[in-house]
Amino acid sequence: MIRNSRQRDAIRAAIANAGRPLLPQEIHKLAQQTAPKLGIATVYRNLQALQETGEINQVMIPGDSPRFELAQQPHHHHFKCTQCGEVTTLYACPGKLAELAPEGYQMHSHELTLYGYCGECADT
Amino acid sequence: MIRNSRQRDAIRAAIANAGRPLLPQEIHKLAQQTAPKLGIATVYRNLQALQETGEINQVMIPGDSPRFELAQQPHHHHFKCTQCGEVTTLYACPGKLAELAPEGYQMHSHELTLYGYCGECADT
DNA sequence: TCAATAATGATAACCCATTATCATTAAAAA
DNA sequence: TTTTTAATGATAATGGGTTATCATTATTGA
């Protein structure tokens, strides 16, 4: 039997409001603004639970540990700032990628990450 | 002063002949066919050395540990078989990706990974 | 051939994100 | 309220890739 908790709500809200994929540590910090005593283990526990209910998805950026974002978003990709590390969601896709696969290979999905400087880091 | 070694040659040859990025463990196994007593520490040591000389490059596939491939190849991407895990080099690129970046962002590079079934796994 | 020392092999140590443990707290049904 | 037990918080433990250690081996200039 699943119960509600202030902590899970805080975690859910942090992810929903960010609009970009977050690391567990980022979720921890953000959710602590609502649930100050929140422990990191609870973050991991709830990330797993929310994945199982299909509320959130894992996002892998090359070389990084998993980030989490709301599920049921339209197809999209990500931009990672190589200066500050922030990952932004990009609602765009080059498309027609299946034809890049070799003969006899079957593509079923793809991941694209753009690297560069975010708005803030490009200025300085 | 840098000396030659049968082990380094074996590591270099394994990477050069593969034609696809390899994990340290894969390099270890392959190079052991030439240098049977090769230790894993020597593989890591030489991967670092060969990166410093610019002979090889690191390749990150989302969620995986680093792979290594020959440097100075033309721009390319990778295909990862979700069945057997093999990573293949794709000499193709959708291009025109900078325009996907948000206003005020500066893209300087990108990574694309296609996922699906390789030739062997697609058959079965 | 020989000496100097770079490179190796075996393995212990490390790093760190993630998971397990367990006593305590708090939902929520009765 | 009271009771049941899911959820939490603090922290120890884990796991797997990578690095450090150090005695031994082997390359190479003299």
Side-chain angles (χ1 to χ4, degrees), chain A residues 1 3-4 6 24 41 44-45 48 65-66:
Chain A
M1 198 265 155
R3 295 176 183 175
N4 295 325
R6 153 176 47 270
Y44 280 104
R45 270 191 294 250
Q48 191 149 341
S65 49

Side-chain angles (χ1 to χ4, degrees), chain A residues 8 11 39-52:
Chain A
R8 183 178 304 115
I11 289 166
I40 189 67
T42 298
V43 173
Y44 280 104
R45 270 191 294 250
N46 279 293
L47 289 176
Q48 191 149 341
L50 293 171
Q51 271 188 284
E52 280 161 13

Side-chain angles (χ1 to χ4, degrees), chain A residues 77-80 86-92 114-119 122, chain B residues 97-107:
Chain A
H77 294 293
H78 300 95
F79 185 107
K80 179 172 180 178
E86 190 180 273
V87 173
T88 308
T89 299
L90 296 177
Y91 292 101
L114 305 190
Y115 294 95
Y117 301 107
C118 71
Chain B
L97 296 173
E99 51 198 49
L100 303 185
E103 270 301 304
Y105 281 51
Q106 291 177 1
M107 187 194 88

